[in-house]
Amino acid sequence: MTTTDLCPCESKKSYPECCGPLHRGDRPAETAEELMRSRYSAFVRQEVDYIIDTAHSDARKDLVREDIAKWARESTWNGFEVIDTEGGGPDDEQGLVEFIAFYDDAEGDEVEHHEKSIFGREDGQWRFVDGLPGRQEPYRREQPKVGRNEPCPCGSGKKFKKCCARAA
């Protein structure tokens, strides 16, 4: 098996034995994670109908087919990593899958899309309900905070509050 035969979802299986049957409608996803992986593969393979069809009916109304198709087409998909799952098993009604999708956007910028996707059952099948931002690293200031009455770091000789703090 060559790397081009591998499924884009990073399962290390071939596409025909992994996400292919789901995209063709041969069988539904058995778990929330399997649905998440197949949705990522659908973006890579530009299977827009699958992306829309696997969204929960409440989420589907906000989807714009042309926007999804454009994003999928104009992105260069570089990889996918599942960070964590909660629930979402064959006997569960809800699940959460935290993941990072790596891609280059239309401008060529590298993007790491970190999300916690919420899944639920609808008519007995897993569906994407919503996405929340993934874990955020706390902001760390590079330099010490400048007090209002300290000299402005720009070198003007004025107090910070009378100089650059006004611009902020």
Side-chain angles (χ1 to χ4, degrees):
M1 183 164 48
T2 67
T3 55
T4 56
D5 297 330
L6 291 176
C7 191
C9 80
E10 305 281 339
S11 66
K12 307 229 184 318
K13 297 178 184 174
S14 71
Y15 175 75
E17 69 179 348
C18 189
C19 292
L22 281 74
H23 292 172
R24 289 190 309 272
D26 294 348
R27 67 174 185 84
E30 294 178 12
T31 65
E33 181 178 337
E34 185 178 37
L35 181 60
M36 183 65 248
R37 288 180 177 280
S38 68
R39 285 175 58 86
Y40 171 79
S41 291
F43 278 105
V44 174
R45 298 178 63 90
Q46 301 174 35
E47 299 280 353
V48 178
D49 291 336
Y50 181 80
I51 295 163
I52 293 170
D53 291 346
T54 57
H56 191 277
S57 60
D58 293 339
R60 204 174 294 151
K61 63 183 181 272
D62 297 327
L63 300 178
V64 179
R65 187 182 200 296
E66 295 77 25
D67 293 347
I68 296 169
K70 182 178 183 199
W71 185 46
R73 182 179 58 252
E74 292 181 357
S75 298
T76 302
W77 301 95
N78 300 321
F80 178 79
E81 179 182 348
V82 172
I83 305 296
D84 192 22
T85 60
E86 295 175 26
D91 299 324
D92 294 322
E93 290 297 312
Q94 295 181 321
L96 184 97
V97 179
E98 182 177 357
F99 70 93
I100 303 175
F102 304 92
Y103 66 96
D104 298 337
D105 65 15
E107 289 79 39
D109 295 324
E110 292 181 6
V111 178
E112 289 185 12
H113 179 81
H114 190 170
E115 181 177 301
K116 291 181 180 180
S117 288
I118 302 167
F119 295 89
R121 296 246 188 208
E122 185 173 46
D123 299 326
Q125 295 190 11
W126 285 110
R127 296 286 183 247
F128 169 79
V129 175
D130 200 3
L132 305 170
R135 289 186 211 135
Q136 300 289 325
E137 290 294 321
Y139 174 76
R140 288 183 173 49
R141 190 182 318 266
E142 297 283 327
Q143 300 171 352
K145 185 174 180 180
V146 179
R148 293 176 28 86
N149 291 314
E150 292 181 33
C152 190
C154 76
S156 68
K158 298 180 184 177
K159 288 184 178 183
F160 180 62
K161 68 181 178 185
K162 298 281 186 179
C163 190
C164 291
R166 286 187 159 178

